Amino acid sequence: MEEKRPGVFAVLGEDARQRAAADYLREKGFEVRGPEGVAAANWVLLPMPLAADAAALEQLLAQARPGTAAFGGRVSEAARAAAAAAGIRLEDYLCREELALLNAIPTAEGCIGLILQNRRRTVWGSSMLVLGFGRCGQALAVRLAALGAHVTVAARSPAQRALALSLGLAAVPMDAVDGLLEGTEVAVNTVPAPVLDAARLQKLPAGALVIDLASLPGGTDFEAAKVLGVRAIHALSLPARCAPVTAGQFVAQAVLAMLRERGEGF
């Protein structure tokens, strides 16, 4: 008797992350189709960020069967409205805490790669400031320290500063950053709010590097950085850019966890 397959995924999007997610789903026994398979799909896996033309998305999802679930990342309000108009349940897999934590790994590795590419000195022995100590800040700071950097974490939360101290890192309140900038060779911002303004950028030493990992518009005054001659890089979507296969697998794993919790797909 032929073994029953778990179901059909329609995977939309042609970037390497979506292809990796599709490959992972196939390995787990799902039938995977492209956009032409939406009508036959049990589930639809949409790309990230999901901010496509609402009319086009609604037209595409209108092909799906009633009750079909769709999953996207960083879902815009327009996309949510389009899915609702098509009668499709749309969930944001980036709301999964495990995915956010796992995505911090390629983000940290990608950031370290940028640091190495844009400097002529080793990470080892360098003075580095990490602003913010959420998921990305934590993943990055411990890896920089493991490579021998002198890492200071700046965070508003006393609990986050305590965590940094418990991990062997130096930690200061965010309002103490000004006194550290003159000795900072690399500053990495993870805070999605203005924290590196012109006044602070001006305090950095010649040759300092700023990398901003925060989502748009970031926390760095990039125009001021240009005027001041400070190298500032807004490094967005590092998981997709630096490790798309791993990032795609993480997405597929998160979606399958969502299905398991709802009793679907297995």
Side-chain angles (χ1 to χ4, degrees), residues 42-242:
N42 302 97
W43 311 282
V44 179
L45 181 58
L46 298 161
M48 176 178 68
L50 186 55
D53 176 77
L57 181 62
E58 182 179 342
Q59 183 178 11
L60 180 66
L61 293 179
Q63 303 173 35
R65 295 178 295 185
T68 300
F71 303 89
R74 202 174 297 136
V75 178
S76 68
E77 289 304 316
R80 289 188 186 280
I88 299 299
R89 295 178 295 160
L90 176 59
E91 299 186 45
D92 194 329
Y93 47 70
L94 275 187
C95 292
R96 300 286 298 191
E97 179 67 13
E98 75 269 27
L99 180 55
L101 288 167
L102 289 171
N103 269 338
I105 299 169
T107 298
E109 291 187 5
C111 182
I112 292 170
L114 287 174
I115 291 171
L116 292 170
Q117 292 168 16
N118 287 277
R119 301 179 72 236
R120 296 185 178 183
R121 299 181 65 87
T122 58
V123 169
W124 176 86
S126 295
S127 175
M128 302 199 178
L129 175 65
V130 177
L131 295 98
F133 204 57
R135 305 178 194 96
C136 289
Q138 292 167 24
L140 175 63
V142 296
R143 285 164 173 77
L144 290 173
L147 291 172
H150 303 299
V151 180
T152 299
V153 169
R156 292 187 175 89
S157 165
Q160 288 184 338
R161 296 197 297 271
L163 176 59
L165 291 172
S166 75
L167 295 171
L169 306 167
V172 299
M174 193 66 72
D175 57 12
V177 165
D178 298 79
L180 301 174
L181 293 171
E182 290 183 358
T184 296
E185 297 172 74
V186 178
V188 181
N189 176 56
T190 68
V191 180
V195 290
L196 288 175
D197 57 15
R200 283 181 167 172
L201 291 171
Q202 194 169 13
K203 295 179 180 180
L204 290 168
L209 173 66
V210 173
I211 298 179
D212 199 315
L213 302 178
S215 56
L216 290 171
T220 302
D221 187 336
F222 292 100
E223 289 301 319
K226 290 180 182 179
V227 173
L228 295 167
V230 175
R231 289 179 298 166
I233 301 170
H234 200 180
L236 298 171
S237 301
L238 284 180
R241 289 167 50 190
C242 300

